[in-house]
Every structure is written in C-alpha cells, then in structure tokens.
Amino acid sequence: MFLCIGRLLPCQADNYDVVVYGGGSSGVCAAVQSARLGARTLLVEPTPWLGGMLTAAGVSAVDGNYRLPSGMWGDFKEALQKHYGSAEALKTGWVSNVMFEPQIGDSIFKSWVKAEKDLVYLHGYTLCAVKRLSEGWRLTFNDGKKKISVTACYAIDASELGDLAAMARLHYRLGMDSRAETGEKEAPEQGNDIIQDLTYCAILKASSHARLLPRPKNYDSKEFRNCCLHADNDSTTRQKLWPAGMMISYGKLPNGLYMVNWPIHGNDYYLNDVCESPAKRKKLEEEAKQKTLRFIYYMQHELGADTLALANIYPTPDHLPLIPYYRESRRFYGIVTFNINDLRMPYKKADRPLYRTSVAVGDYPVDQHHYAYPHRDLPDMNLLAVPSFGLPLGTLLPDKEDRLLLAEKSISVTNIVNGATRLQPVSMQIGQVAGTVAAMAVKDHCSPRTLSVRSIQAQLLKEGLYLLPYLDVDKHSPLFLPLQRIGATGLLRGEGRHVDWQNQTWINADSLLTREDLVCFKDVYPQFIPPKDGDRFISFTEFLSILQSLSPKRLNVTLSEAQAVLQSFGVPVVESSNTLTRAQAAVLLDQFLHPFERIDVDLYGNFIVR
C-alpha cells in the first residue's frame, strides 16, 4: 500500500529528485527534510510503521541528547511532551528520560510525512534491484505481488542494515576494525566480523489477572538465572545485577506498558544476519524471537510477573514488534571515517580539524552490546570516557559514489564510534542532514560533495540543528547562532568533559576571554600576532583593536557600535576598560568579521583559501 501526498504513484517508472529507502527515524527525517526544501521525494519502508528502532522495533526509550534538542529530534521530543502533557510525563522508566508508547511515535512520524506536499510515502515494499544511471538511479521495489520502478537523481540509504548501498556495490566494513586500520588503541589487534547483539524486544501490558504464555519450546529457566538478583544466581555473570522489580521497571512506558529490552542475561541475542536476504533474515531472527518469548515466560513463572503479557499493539500474529532492534549495520567507506581519536580529541589534529565540518551532535557513551556473544575473548570497548561530540559531514558521503547519501547506522564511522552514533537522536539528525544535502544538491544541480560545507551548516542552523554540542547555550538563546558559528571556525573552542557516565562539552560562554584563548586566532588569521604583555584578561578596547587588525579592510569598529551589537544579542554592555566574556567576544567576531560565512572549509576541516 502507499500514501501519496500531492500526486499519484503510477505502476510504471516515475521520476523523483530524491528517494529515501528506509522509514526508520533517520529515513523519516531525511524524507521530510528533503521535501520541505522543495525536492520531489519518495519514502519507501518495508513495514507498515514509521520510526524503525523507536517504534517498529519496540525501543521506545530514547538514549541521550536530553539537553541537546537538535533539529527534528527536538521536534519529536516536543511532540511527545505535547501528547503526554509534560516532560516529566515521559520519565516513566529509569533507562531513559524520554519514554513513550511505540504506536504514538509511529503516529507522530506519519503526521510529519502527511504534512509534506512534495513527499510520497510507499510502505510494504522491499528494495529488490538498483541500477546506476548516468545522472542518478533506477530503483525497483517489490511487495511480493508486483514490482514498482522509480528513478531518482539522488538516493539516501536509511535502511536498517545498509541494503541500498550494498546493492549499489559500495564497499563497507562489518564487525570490529583492527587497531592498525583505525589507530584506536581500544580496538582488537586483529579485525573480525563480530557485530553487536541484536534484541527482539517486546511490549508487555499490565492487567488485573494472570495471562500466561504457553511454555516455549526448549525453555530452561537456567538460561536466565543471572538476569536479576535471584536465588538461582551463580558466579558466571560479570555484570551488576538488579532486583527483579528494578529490572522490570527499567522499561516502564506510559499507560501500563513495559518494554522488554534487557541486556544482562535477558533477551539480547547474538546473530550476524546483516548480509543475508530479507527472507533469510526473517527465518534466522525467529531464534531471537524465541529467546524473548522464553524470557517473558521466565518473568511470568520465576519472577512473579504473571499479570504482564504481550500487548496487542503490533499488527503481527505473535504481537511481537515488526523488526528486531539492530545495533549495527554495514558501515560504508566515506570521504571521512570518524574514529574514537577524532571524537575524543577534536582539536588535536591540525591536519584533520573535523570539528569544523560538524553537522550533528551526540552525547551518549560508546555503548557496545556483546553480552550474548557466545565467547568472552573480546576487548572491552564499552562506556569509554569521551566528551560529547560533533559528527563530521564527510561521514555521510561515500568515497566513490556522488549520487548516494548514507544515513541511519550505515555512515562512515569505526565500529567503536558506531556505539555512540547509532543512538536514535543522532540517527534522526543524520537523516535530516542527508535530506538537507540531497535537496541542496538538487537545487544547485551538483554533486553533494561539491556543495559548500558552510552553506550546508548554515541551512542546518536555520532548521534548528546544533553543529557542536555546547550545553551552556541552547538553541532558543539569541547567543546560539553566533556561538555555533564561531565554534565551527575554531576561533573559540569548547571544553569536553566526562562526568560519571555523562559526556559533555561546554563553550564556557560566561567565562572571561583570556590571552590563552587568542592563540587559536592564528589558525584562522595567519597574520595575527597574539599579545604577550599585560594582564591575563582582554579588555573591551583591546579586543576592538584586535578586530580591526584582523579585518581585511581594516574595519573601524567604534565603541558605541560594538556596544549596540552586544545589546541587540541581550548580553551585558561593557565599558571600554572592562574585561570581555567569551560570549561577548563571539558575538563581536561573528557580527563584524563574519569568519563563518567568509572562510569556507573542505570536508576535512581545512580552510579553503580563495
């Protein structure tokens, strides 16, 4: 079936500017953004639901970015708050601050799609053939009864496992990278094809009476003896165990629902079916389903949770979700491959300042699930101490194909970094960025890789996305845009922190500008000579003199002009001899020198001299 907005979808070939394959949260954001920017867009999803891991897979508990409401992720969070009445109403379980019923997420995504006149939504179809044309693609989809072929100038792979890009014969990584290949000390010495565990989640509903599952085939209570604190625990587990009630409330959703997505000897399941056909995957994933059913039976019979049973939410015979929760996909080679060293030390590589090309932000830890893997000889790459991060644009652009964009979990990152970029808020931003780039390429009749990085970032800022993950100035502040722009130039740099398990970055907007801060100016303006004498802090008049020296036209900024600009941004007006905050300095740099707009960068973050 299909939902067509604006025009009918014929059974013969039809032409689109952009085709997005995969209606997960990343694909929805890609398609909606592409259509909003005027590109004729087709969104194709094999299942009848939109939202992927957030809805169709039953993982309706968002991980991270609670204080970074970037782009459509922020819009989605606001839609949930409006539906349930408040932000507090989403804090029903302890695994997340944003929890909701999966069908509500599906309805929000469908409302977004329905609102776009340039967007056609086709569901129930699977990609079966891809052909590269001289100026785009011919894509063929099959619903089991008939085939539909369409052409597109650009394609976006937002599928769960990178199926479109694989059919287009793009080369990829799968599993753990070797230390020699990525330079990551945490990576194994030898690469392998081991991916993260998947999970066939379940949504349970509380009732007033017992509703017991039939005993599953091959059930053995010992399989789950270490899922929580219990009399049957033994010494084979290395994880912290929680009481049964805590384990169950971990995934508590609104309105008496419970998400079952428990990694500690629960329903995680090791299975690498990424490169199999959809039919073969479905058969193999039945094993993961059976483990989840055994786990629910254990909860009912051994933990006393006999009033919790499968909710009638999904249009499936067994009431389990439409798809498994995949934590890992094919990762395609991009113009840039983002590794943990880039993420951990964004300012350390002078020849690779990727932070200047950032287009999306994330703050979740590196979360690697290997509890269900049958062997225990894997390196510990979980919960590494890193700051929050900005994702480089070049990770979405394949290295050898200029008519396809990567989204969802298929971007060009290492296996370790995938543990942080795979989370839903980041995936949604990735989709929105891909849709933006595709639509801009359509409008300019060019390859995505030839678009100006700064023009892409400027458009993303208009859409409410963060370029860099500063916690101290949110997107509703008048200081947000100048600090994001100046941060992307590197004139002022953020400070990364790792607090407990939280990853943070601060621009320290209220801190006083120091002479040490000015050292970075030379990277942008080679002619600049940092002052060495005088006080540690920079005075207002001294900074105005610096502005004039950096301006190619020897700009004459008067004290009153600078004060008026600061006042227009709602920051305190300073007197000539007073010291300056970093926020005030950023506003003056941004408004008088315009370095973000005037000095573009390439996909590696190096300045382009014109």
Side-chain angles (χ1 to χ4, degrees):
M1 297 178 65
F2 62 86
L3 171 66
C4 180
I5 308 299
R7 55 203 167 82
L8 294 177
L9 181 68
C11 291
Q12 66 271 23
D14 201 5
N15 301 320
Y16 292 89
D17 295 322
V18 178
V19 170
V20 180
Y21 182 54
S25 57
S26 193
V28 170
C29 292
V32 169
Q33 181 67 13
S34 172
R36 285 179 180 174
L37 294 180
R40 294 172 298 116
T41 306
L42 173 66
L43 171 63
V44 183
E45 161 58 26
T47 78
W49 279 39
L50 291 176
M53 56 178 146
L54 278 174
T55 61
V59 192
S60 48
V62 179
D63 294 311
N65 279 49
Y66 305 134
R67 297 165 65 186
L68 296 171
S70 181
M72 289 185 189
W73 148 237
D75 298 339
F76 182 69
K77 184 180 176 185
E78 288 181 8
L80 289 171
Q81 291 171 0
K82 182 178 179 181
H83 177 84
Y84 289 104
S86 70
E88 288 301 310
L90 306 180
K91 299 178 182 179
T92 49
W94 57 271
V95 70
S96 170
N97 287 340
V98 181
M99 306 193 74
F100 57 95
E101 299 158 277
Q103 72 273 24
I104 301 303
D106 172 59
S107 67
I108 291 170
F109 289 128
K110 283 178 177 169
S111 72
W112 289 3
V113 168
K114 189 175 181 179
E116 300 305 320
K117 64 179 177 61
D118 288 321
L119 177 56
V120 174
Y121 164 42
L122 176 69
H123 71 78
Y125 282 78
T126 300
L127 182 68
C128 59
V130 175
K131 183 177 181 180
R132 183 65 158 87
L133 307 176
S134 60
E135 295 186 352
W137 304 92
R138 176 173 290 114
L139 306 170
T140 303
F141 303 96
N142 190 341
D143 71 347
K145 298 178 182 177
K146 62 180 180 297
K147 293 182 178 180
I148 291 176
S149 291
V150 300
T151 59
C153 298
Y154 301 94
I156 298 175
D157 188 342
S159 63
E160 289 290 330
L161 299 176
D163 291 336
L164 194 166
M167 287 189 188
R169 299 178 184 268
L170 273 64
H171 58 309
Y172 58 86
R173 304 173 178 90
L174 183 64
M176 295 182 180
D177 311 298
S178 72
R179 192 177 309 159
E181 181 182 6
T182 66
E184 300 167 313
K185 67 180 185 336
E186 297 86 355
E189 189 169 339
Q190 299 293 328
N192 56 57
D193 63 354
I194 300 167
I195 66 169
Q196 291 196 61
D197 305 333
L198 60 78
T199 306
Y200 225 108
C201 299
I203 304 296
L204 306 183
K205 185 172 179 60
S207 67
S208 59
H209 59 279
R211 293 191 295 141
L212 300 177
L213 278 178
R215 184 183 176 94
K217 185 179 179 181
N218 299 324
Y219 174 75
D220 183 346
S221 64
K222 292 181 181 178
E223 182 178 14
F224 307 107
R225 63 190 178 277
N226 290 320
C227 69
C228 62
L229 291 173
H230 192 271
D232 292 336
N233 291 158
D234 61 26
S235 60
T236 61
T237 183
R238 295 183 295 177
Q239 287 80 46
K240 177 181 178 179
L241 300 185
W242 303 85
M246 286 288 288
M247 182 190 77
I248 294 169
S249 64
Y250 161 98
K252 186 179 180 181
L253 308 177
N255 295 321
L257 297 181
Y258 292 81
M259 175 188 70
V260 181
N261 176 25
W262 188 247
I264 304 171
H265 301 283
N267 58 327
D268 276 11
Y269 189 81
Y270 181 73
L271 175 67
N272 186 347
D273 62 346
V274 173
C275 297
E276 302 292 349
S277 68
K280 183 69 177 293
R281 284 178 197 152
K282 187 175 182 179
K283 183 177 181 181
L284 290 171
E285 287 156 5
E286 185 64 28
E287 300 169 14
K289 278 189 177 186
Q290 290 303 313
K291 183 173 185 181
T292 293
L293 293 175
R294 294 195 301 270
F295 186 43
I296 296 170
Y297 188 87
Y298 179 88
M299 292 167 63
Q300 291 179 332
H301 288 263
E302 302 296 332
L303 304 181
D306 57 357
T307 58
L308 293 180
L310 286 164
N312 187 14
I313 288 176
Y314 292 103
T316 55
D318 53 17
H319 302 309
L320 288 174
L322 294 153
I323 59 173
Y325 175 24
Y326 301 107
R327 294 182 176 87
E328 198 160 335
S329 167
R330 303 173 176 96
R331 293 170 287 107
F332 292 88
Y333 285 83
I335 292 175
V336 167
T337 297
F338 194 43
N339 64 46
I340 197 65
N341 302 320
D342 299 320
L343 190 156
R344 182 182 280 130
M345 300 175 291
Y347 304 112
K348 292 297 184 182
K349 293 188 177 181
D351 62 337
R352 190 177 154 96
L354 295 175
Y355 72 91
R356 294 182 187 148
T357 74
S358 179
V359 290
V361 297
D363 65 2
Y364 205 72
V366 173
D367 187 12
Q368 294 269 356
H369 279 235
H370 293 291
Y371 298 134
Y373 184 68
H375 306 292
R376 294 294 180 184
D377 55 348
L378 301 179
D380 185 5
M381 302 182 295
N382 203 35
L383 303 181
L384 304 179
V386 297
S388 53
F389 60 91
L391 184 71
L393 174 63
T395 60
L396 279 69
L397 307 175
D399 61 348
K400 299 185 186 306
E401 175 53 67
D402 61 1
R403 293 271 175 171
L404 190 148
L405 290 155
L406 304 169
E408 190 56 51
K409 299 177 288 292
S410 295
I411 61 172
S412 183
V413 295
T414 62
N415 168 265
I416 295 177
V417 170
N418 171 72
T421 59
R422 68 177 177 82
L423 283 311
Q424 308 95 330
V426 180
S427 182
M428 292 180 75
Q429 294 171 78
I430 289 168
Q432 190 171 2
V433 174
T436 299
V437 173
M440 291 177 68
V442 168
K443 183 178 179 181
D444 291 354
H445 304 284
C446 69
S447 162
R449 68 184 64 197
T450 65
L451 288 166
S452 158
V453 173
R454 291 296 189 231
S455 67
I456 292 170
Q457 290 176 317
Q459 183 63 48
L460 296 175
L461 288 173
K462 286 181 183 178
E463 304 292 337
L465 281 99
Y466 286 58
L467 303 182
L468 293 163
Y470 304 145
L471 285 179
D472 40 348
V473 181
D474 72 30
K475 67 180 181 181
H476 302 295
S477 166
L479 294 173
F480 176 75
L481 291 177
L483 282 168
Q484 288 284 314
R485 289 190 291 250
I486 293 302
T489 67
L491 284 165
L492 293 177
R493 296 180 175 181
E495 178 192 359
R497 304 175 191 171
H498 183 78
V499 182
D500 295 327
W501 67 277
Q502 297 179 45
N503 302 323
Q504 305 175 355
T505 300
W506 302 78
I507 192 62
N508 297 325
D510 295 332
S511 298
L512 293 177
L513 186 72
T514 69
R515 294 188 182 279
E516 289 81 2
D517 293 328
L518 301 182
V519 172
C520 302
F521 282 31
K522 195 169 181 63
D523 292 343
V524 185
Y525 300 103
Q527 75 275 20
F528 177 65
I529 301 175
K532 296 181 180 179
D533 300 325
D535 296 333
R536 177 173 176 240
F537 299 110
I538 305 298
S539 70
F540 193 9
T541 51
E542 187 177 7
F543 192 72
L544 294 184
S545 176
I546 290 171
L547 283 182
Q548 293 173 34
S549 72
L550 297 179
S551 171
K553 298 181 179 179
R554 303 298 294 180
L555 182 70
N556 183 23
V557 181
T558 67
L559 183 65
S560 60
E561 287 173 333
Q563 288 174 329
V565 166
L566 292 177
Q567 192 169 25
S568 71
F569 279 86
V571 294
V573 174
V574 292
E575 300 301 324
S576 59
S577 61
N578 286 6
T579 51
L580 216 61
T581 66
R582 287 164 60 89
Q584 290 167 332
V587 169
L588 296 174
L589 287 165
D590 183 68
Q591 293 298 296
F592 287 108
L593 297 186
H594 306 286
F596 179 84
E597 295 85 354
R598 289 178 175 169
I599 311 174
D600 210 342
V601 295
D602 63 22
L603 289 166
Y604 300 98
N606 300 304
F607 292 119
I608 299 173
V609 180
R610 299 192 187 280

